[in-house]
Amino acid sequence: MDMARDQRLELRLSGAEFEAVRGAANAQSTTMADVVRSGLRFTTRKRPVYSFDGHGASFVRDSWMVRHPMDTVSGDDGVYEAKQRLKAFAEWRAEAADHVHAFAAISTTNASEIITPEYKPILASFVEDRPLFAATTRASVGNASPFLLPGTVDEASVNGAVAEHTEGSNPSENAAIAFGQVTVAPKSISGLYRVTRELVDSSNPAIDTVCLSVMRESYARQTEARIYAALNTAQSGTITSGFVPSGAMARTSTGPALPSDLRKALLGYVDGRGRAPRSVVASSRPSVAEELDELDMTAYALRNVNVDLSPRITGTAAADGDVFILGGGDVWAWSSPLLEFQYGEREGPASVDLALFGYFAAAVVAPRGVSSIRHT
């Protein structure tokens, strides 16, 4: 059949359909045949790629996947298919340009309702400062089982551990060393956030990063507070000739005398502990921190010593320590790897649980390695 020749087609229309076609012809000042032909021309064009009615492929999602290929969970195949659909859509638009009406430009102003708000993981970059943890000697722990450590060893035992000997003679046997045992009991620290499935699915996927960042920051704060509690306990009690009952060194300071008293405490640390100090951690409260503004870091006593502030040194009583001087190997902190969990259906499909868990312990193994200043 020669398709190039005009063909005759008879249509049987109902009364309502006939009136509709005639009304359209009158409105367009054309014939009823042209009205029918224009409808046929429209139906023979390519089917659009996107329906824009909530069904089928999504133009917005395909555009997002192409712009963020590393963030999509669909893989390379999903990104490739999205590119092909966008290409086909662009071709369809070019063909349909002569048959579509022009609408006002769509922008974030007049179409803000269809733009899904998205959380950016701003908390992911927040790293809680942990100067007390940094000043300790650190080790790992895997569970909550208590364990014992050798504690204070008296100076006489240390001094008599080795000695000169006569050639060919074995050294004399030393007296037994009395260890002051320290019991360490790790405690678990955990956190849990429950969020709706809809929030997780629509956050791309910043909500889990935000929640876990909040829990990690809280974990850091709580572990710092535990170290401070151990230090404050070690320096507690009545000060007698520069020492407290535990064997730790302590002194008092008032007002602007703090920088001078800190230098004296650093110099005295060497004589009291028998080794050089390594770290100074002071309270970040204005009454303490502002007095340290005049601290001369070039002074002899402050050579090779780190000075930091901690917001977790929170004691405000007269007998609480406000500045701590620490050496190496006297204050320990044990922590486990920080585990992060995501439970997709523990409470049913409507909720997702984001959890964090870890073990932590802190102990002053040798109180003589702690020196504090109580500032008023």
Side-chain angles (χ1 to χ4, degrees), residues 257-312:
L258 183 58
S260 176
D261 288 330
L262 175 56
R263 291 194 297 271
K264 293 176 182 178
L266 286 166
L267 295 171
Y269 184 93
V270 177
D271 186 59
R273 178 62 182 91
R275 64 172 64 169
R278 186 177 65 181
S279 302
V280 173
V281 185
S283 172
S284 62
R285 292 198 315 277
S287 60
V288 177
E290 291 177 4
E291 297 297 344
L292 291 175
D293 183 58
E294 301 298 326
L295 192 63
D296 182 8
M297 294 302 298
T298 64
Y300 171 78
L302 289 159
R303 291 193 311 172
N304 302 319
V305 175
N306 294 322
V307 179
D308 290 300
L309 300 178
S310 173
R312 308 280 78 85

Side-chain angles (χ1 to χ4, degrees), residues 73-142:
V73 297
S74 302
D76 294 338
D77 292 341
V79 175
Y80 174 77
E81 293 174 357
K83 289 180 178 179
Q84 294 300 108
R85 285 193 292 268
L86 290 173
K87 180 180 178 182
F89 179 65
E91 294 174 353
W92 177 86
R93 282 179 40 182
E95 293 178 3
D98 296 333
H99 306 281
V100 296
H101 295 286
F103 294 92
I106 303 300
S107 67
T108 57
T109 300
N110 55 28
S112 60
E113 295 82 358
I114 66 171
I115 301 175
T116 303
E118 178 179 325
Y119 284 104
K120 293 295 184 182
I122 57 173
L123 292 177
S125 62
F126 283 9
V127 178
E128 171 72 5
D129 192 17
R130 305 175 70 186
L132 289 175
F133 183 74
T136 63
T137 302
R138 296 174 294 280
S140 61
V141 66

Side-chain angles (χ1 to χ4, degrees), residues 164-176:
E164 293 182 357
H165 70 276
T166 303
E167 183 178 353
S169 301
N170 288 322
S172 300
E173 181 180 350
N174 287 308

